[in-house]
């Protein structure tokens, strides 16, 4: 894996680790950004990791661009030789699939969709070869997802499905973006799932909604008191399908301040995952649901 380095103006270096997203590319990007952060390079003012790339902002009056470029290439060699292991957490996220709120929204924007006569999830099920929406939901919620990036809008996670490539879901975004998406919509675009942290415009297919807040600038939600953004790159997520009654109960808990997401600390090894994907996922599920 050979990274490509390009300057973006006078104060940025953009590094493309690979042309496509993969867990291998993510681990190289994560190792490099961690190494840059740990090195405390004088003149580096901001580090912005992404799915298979990252960007460094620097002060050219403090460090010369060529000098920083050389330092990044040195750190890359160290990152690629490091063991791809991550101490992280696995999180259960409840999802009310085919909820009335995203349904109402998607029906208002059918003229912007590839298939105006089907809902988003019906369309996704069909183009991925699933015989029913129910089978599609089983596939979407059946395996864990890896948070490869957090951003674009505040607190929005990009999640990559942890299955072998032939089983990965792929769904294009809307032909033209919407002007509205309900807050906490669980969406899908390309090879990524996401959770819309705030209400606003969007283009991902809408599959459902979660009752669980993931962004709280006021930090009133108990599990967001230490940091207003819930997700971190490297988090692992398991979707849990819920019905309307369970959704309403969770919303009541959120309002009462008693909702607590199920979270377990785990050690994730990329080598172990590549050697046995389904076995690794099964161990992650055991860790998540262990009492």
């Amino acid at each position: 894996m050979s990274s490509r380095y390009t300057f973006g103006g006078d104060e940025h270096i953009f590094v493309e680790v690979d042309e496509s997203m993969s867990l291998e590319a993510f681990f190289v990007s994560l190792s490099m950004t961690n190494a840059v952060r740990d090195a405390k390079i004088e003149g580096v003012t901001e580090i912005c990791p992404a799915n298979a790339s990252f960007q460094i902002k620097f002060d050219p009056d403090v460090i010369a661009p060529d000098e920083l470029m050389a330092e990044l290439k040195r750190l890359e060699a160290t990152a690629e030789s490091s063991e791809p292991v991550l101490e992280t957490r696995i999180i259960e996220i409840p999802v009310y699939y085919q909820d009335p709120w995203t349904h109402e929204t998607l029906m208002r924007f059918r003229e912007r969709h590839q298939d105006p006569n089907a809902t988003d999830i019906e369309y996704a099920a069909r183009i991925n070869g699933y015989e029913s929406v129910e089978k599609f939901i089983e596939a979407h919620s059946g395996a864990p997802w890896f948070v490869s990036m957090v951003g674009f809008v505040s607190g929005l996670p990009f999640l990559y499905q942890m299955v072998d490539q032939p089983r990965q879901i792929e769904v294009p975004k809307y032909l033209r973006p919407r002007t509205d998406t309900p807050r906490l919509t669980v969406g899908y675009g390309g090879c990524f799932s996401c959770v819309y942290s705030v209400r606003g415009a969007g283009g991902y297919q809408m599959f459902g909604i979660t009752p669980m807040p993931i962004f709280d600038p006021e930090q009133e939600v108990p599990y967001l008191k230490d940091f207003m953004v819930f997700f971190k790159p490297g988090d692992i997520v398991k979707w849990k399908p819920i019905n309307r009654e369970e959704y309403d109960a969770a919303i009541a808990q959120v309002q009462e301040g008693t909702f607590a997401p199920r979270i377990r600390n785990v050690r994730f090894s990329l080598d172990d995952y590549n050697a046995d994907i389904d076995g690794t996922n099964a161990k992650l599920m055991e860790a998540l649901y262990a009492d």
Side-chain angles (χ1 to χ4, degrees):
M1 192 174 293
S2 181
S3 299
R4 294 195 300 179
Y5 294 77
T6 56
F7 286 107
D10 297 330
E11 299 181 340
H12 295 88
I13 294 180
F14 176 76
V15 183
E16 182 184 61
V17 175
D18 201 0
E19 292 183 353
S20 60
M21 169 59 195
S22 67
L23 292 181
E24 287 77 8
F26 167 82
F27 267 85
V28 172
S29 177
L30 180 68
S31 295
M32 288 186 67
T33 51
N34 283 344
V36 172
R37 188 175 293 108
D38 293 343
K40 295 182 172 58
I41 302 170
E42 190 174 1
V44 170
T45 58
E46 191 171 348
I47 304 168
C48 182
N51 296 314
S53 62
F54 62 93
Q55 183 169 278
I56 302 293
K57 184 178 181 181
F58 64 98
D59 183 347
D61 293 330
V62 177
I63 184 169
D66 290 343
E67 182 182 347
L68 177 57
M69 181 81 79
E71 180 64 10
L72 291 177
K73 289 182 177 180
R74 184 188 69 80
L75 292 173
E76 178 183 18
T78 302
E80 289 190 337
S81 63
S82 62
E83 185 181 4
V85 172
L86 184 65
E87 299 295 336
T88 187
R89 56 186 185 167
I90 184 167
I91 307 154
E92 180 185 82
I93 307 294
V95 182
Y96 180 16
Y97 289 92
Q98 302 188 94
D99 66 282
W101 305 282
T102 58
H103 181 80
E104 184 276 331
T105 302
L106 66 87
M107 293 305 293
R108 285 193 283 121
F109 293 96
R110 297 327 287 161
E111 81 283 357
R112 306 185 184 205
H113 196 270
Q114 292 87 345
D115 187 351
N117 297 316
T119 65
D120 292 7
I121 201 166
E122 288 170 344
Y123 168 70
R126 176 170 57 78
I127 67 172
N128 281 278
Y130 291 96
E131 61 187 34
S132 66
V133 167
E134 289 71 26
K135 290 294 183 182
F136 179 81
I137 292 173
E138 287 180 12
H140 187 264
S141 62
W145 296 72
F146 197 92
V147 177
S148 62
M149 186 178 86
V150 179
F152 182 64
V153 297
S154 298
L156 184 150
F158 289 80
L159 301 108
Y160 185 76
Q161 192 176 24
M162 296 171 62
V163 295
D164 54 290
Q165 193 168 8
R167 288 187 287 165
Q168 287 179 351
I169 297 167
E170 291 190 9
V171 190
K173 296 191 290 185
Y174 274 43
L175 294 174
R176 290 186 294 129
R178 301 178 301 273
T179 56
D180 187 28
T181 307
R183 173 176 170 267
L184 298 179
T185 289
V186 175
Y188 207 101
C191 65
F192 290 104
S193 196
C194 79
V195 181
Y196 283 76
S197 53
V198 296
R199 184 172 187 173
Y204 276 28
Q205 308 286 336
M206 294 180 286
F207 295 165
I209 198 165
T210 177
M212 178 181 157
I214 62 169
F215 174 61
D216 180 18
E218 305 301 324
Q219 294 182 266
E220 296 175 345
V221 176
Y223 59 84
L224 293 173
K225 284 194 177 297
D226 293 331
F227 195 60
M228 68 179 71
V229 172
F230 179 73
F231 287 108
K232 305 172 185 175
D235 280 344
I236 297 171
V237 167
K238 173 64 172 63
W239 307 118
K240 178 188 177 184
I242 59 174
N243 57 30
R244 177 60 186 269
E245 182 179 357
E246 292 169 316
Y247 175 85
D248 289 343
I251 287 292
Q253 291 178 336
V254 170
Q255 293 172 344
E256 294 166 357
T258 59
F259 182 88
R262 176 180 285 268
I263 302 173
R264 298 290 185 270
N265 293 327
V266 292
R267 181 179 188 271
F268 178 79
S269 164
L270 182 60
D271 291 340
D272 290 347
Y273 173 81
N274 286 332
D276 185 2
I277 293 176
D278 291 337
T280 300
N281 289 346
K283 290 179 181 178
L284 290 171
M285 294 304 99
E286 289 176 7
L288 178 62
Y289 295 113
D291 293 329

